[in-house]
Amino acid sequence: MRTAALQQKLHRYQAKVPSFIPQASGQLVRVVGLTLEASGCRAPIGSLCGIETLYGELTAEVIGFNEGLLYLMPVEELRGVLPGARVTPLGEQESLNVGLELLGRVLDGSGKAIDGLGPLNTHSKAPSYVAAINPLSRRAISEPLDVGVRAINAMLTVGKGQRMGLFAGSGVGKSVLLGMMTRGANVDIIVVALVGERGREVKEFIEDILGEQGRARSVVVAAPADTSPLMRLRACETATRIAEYFRDQGYSVLLLMDSLTRYAQAQREMALAIGEPPATKGYPPSVFAKLPKLVERAGNGGDKQGAITAFYTVLTEGDDLQDPIADASRAILDGHIVLSRTLADSGHYPAIDIEASISRVAPMVINAEHLECMRRVKQVYSLYQQNKDLISIGAYSQGSDPRVDNAIRLQPAMNAFLRQTMHDAINFESSALMLSQIGTQCKV
């Protein structure tokens, strides 16, 4: 009986031990672009390998395999690699440094400090991978979040735990809008992911747009455009994992990811490099599978947890809102804010197009009076835009339509209401009060 009990216990322990045992080393047999092929060693997808080079060991991640070959993508710059170089499995990246010590720091895609301020000195570590939260265990979105931007607070109210898309072309002020939220948002901690941006823009965002006030309660994860696609991919996942850790500690977290499009493009580069067939406009199917996996990690936690309210910027190529990534993102997010180039060119900042934007959870987090004022203002604003051409060329005669007359009269007040300087932070109560004052004058 005792022997049987010991064997049963042994089987239980054996079941917990991975059956995979990596081989000691293999060799590099082929390099094509950024893809490396190794033979003679076994390692699971997502694990790391060390590759012998003229300048020391290069770290690469396993991204696929074919029969006896492993496909690897370098984490760092690919230099000094020789034919037949030794490839050694290193195992998976098990954890990330986490904790309040990260506030004010700038990290790379792997979670290592790049700001020159010394080691992180964190007292906690979090596993790099966690299982997805059961959707039935999440709290419902029930209260508004003050983001410090009047146009969003009043017309596109965001709820705590909501995932919003910020759709914009290049040069219409999305980075400035993100910076405004870092200073004015009523949250405990902010996690910013700057992915695929120019190196100059990363420094400018941290020093000028984020500023000392925003940086003091923020963690920045940066992977500029000249980093490998793997590092850009990791930066988004590292930022999300750090935000998840703080949410699990009970904090209210604002996650700003710039941009979701760069995440998709990095995955496209990697997938095409290992032979995955392109589908919609060159994007392989794996891109559209990874997008919801990343976005769904944000949101509310359980009863004793906090919330991650996330804003994902989506670059619209040629200001085309039907771009494959823009279309796929719009379907998996809880609303979208569209920045208009026409408004930006006219000096209207933030250049939020309230006609094309929507917050899907706004009716659940604001009262009936706020919702009614929002509806009235949007209708009057849209009515003016529909007749704008006739008004500008003098083809509209005053008195022809009382509704249009009212829209013309209120247009200056509406423009002033929707505008805001980058250094101002306007709270939710003030935004709602001003909306109410304009809404009472709107009779459509």
Side-chain angles (χ1 to χ4, degrees), residues 4-80:
L6 289 173
Q7 287 180 342
Q8 188 177 7
K9 185 179 292 187
L10 179 61
H11 289 320
R12 286 202 305 269
Y13 286 131
Q14 287 176 337
K16 296 179 181 180
V17 177
S19 58
F20 164 72
I21 301 176
Q23 293 184 9
S25 63
Q27 64 177 1
L28 199 63
V29 295
R30 189 168 183 246
V31 177
V32 179
L34 291 178
T35 308
L36 296 84
E37 298 180 10
S39 66
C41 60
R42 297 175 64 209
I45 291 178
S47 64
L48 301 177
C49 291
I51 301 173
E52 180 186 30
T53 73
L54 292 175
Y55 307 103
E57 190 173 69
L58 171 73
T59 303
E61 183 176 311
V62 180
I63 60 173
F65 59 84
N66 181 17
E67 296 181 351
L69 295 177
L70 285 182
Y71 296 142
L72 306 164
M73 183 71 68
V75 174
E76 310 123 46
E77 184 181 357
L78 188 61
R79 292 178 64 240

Side-chain angles (χ1 to χ4, degrees), residues 170-332:
S170 56
V172 294
K174 59 177 172 47
S175 296
V176 175
L177 181 56
L178 293 180
M180 291 170 67
M181 286 190 277
T182 61
R183 289 188 292 271
N186 184 21
V187 294
D188 301 318
I189 291 171
I190 300 168
V191 180
V192 183
L194 301 175
V195 180
E197 299 289 340
R198 294 183 288 273
R200 173 186 61 81
E201 289 184 326
V202 172
K203 186 173 182 179
E204 286 180 358
F205 183 91
I206 294 170
E207 295 183 354
D208 301 332
I209 298 177
L210 191 61
E212 292 185 9
Q213 179 184 352
R215 187 172 178 178
R217 57 172 181 163
S218 301
V219 183
V220 179
V221 181
D226 60 346
T227 57
S228 69
L230 179 63
M231 189 62 79
R232 280 176 266 145
L233 206 70
R234 276 189 171 190
C236 296
E237 294 169 354
T238 296
T240 304
R241 184 67 193 96
I242 292 172
E244 286 176 320
Y245 167 80
F246 286 123
R247 176 189 61 192
D248 295 343
Q249 300 300 309
Y251 293 103
S252 175
V253 183
L254 178 65
L255 173 62
L256 304 175
M257 190 169 291
D258 186 15
S259 71
L260 199 61
T261 304
R262 304 298 189 203
Y263 177 81
Q265 290 174 347
Q267 174 60 23
R268 177 175 64 179
E269 291 178 43
M270 293 173 55
L272 294 177
I274 61 174
E276 188 177 345
T280 309
K281 287 193 176 181
Y283 287 99
S286 62
V287 171
F288 302 99
K290 288 185 78 70
L291 283 175
K293 287 185 177 180
L294 180 72
V295 170
E296 283 296 319
R297 290 168 62 181
N300 282 338
D303 293 334
K304 296 182 180 180
Q305 296 177 324
I308 301 175
T309 307
F311 283 82
Y312 301 93
T313 66
V314 180
L315 298 175
T316 51
E317 298 181 8
D319 296 333
D320 180 16
L321 292 176
Q322 306 307 317
D323 174 79
I325 299 303
D327 194 47
S329 301
R330 195 163 44 241
I332 59 178

Side-chain angles (χ1 to χ4, degrees), residues 116-130:
L117 299 178
L120 295 175
N121 294 325
T122 58
H123 298 91
S124 303
K125 287 185 176 291
S128 57
Y129 173 80
V130 291

Side-chain angles (χ1 to χ4, degrees), residues 109-172:
S110 297
K112 299 175 182 177
I114 58 172
D115 51 11
L117 299 178
L120 295 175
N121 294 325
T122 58
H123 298 91
S124 303
K125 287 185 176 291
S128 57
Y129 173 80
V130 291
I133 297 179
N134 186 327
L136 299 181
S137 66
R138 292 181 184 264
R139 299 191 317 279
I141 299 174
S142 58
E143 56 181 311
L145 176 69
D146 181 3
V147 297
V149 181
R150 182 168 52 214
I152 298 177
N153 283 341
M155 299 298 298
L156 303 164
T157 310
V158 175
K160 286 187 178 179
Q162 184 173 355
R163 287 79 57 93
M164 288 286 282
L166 189 59
F167 291 72
S170 56
V172 294

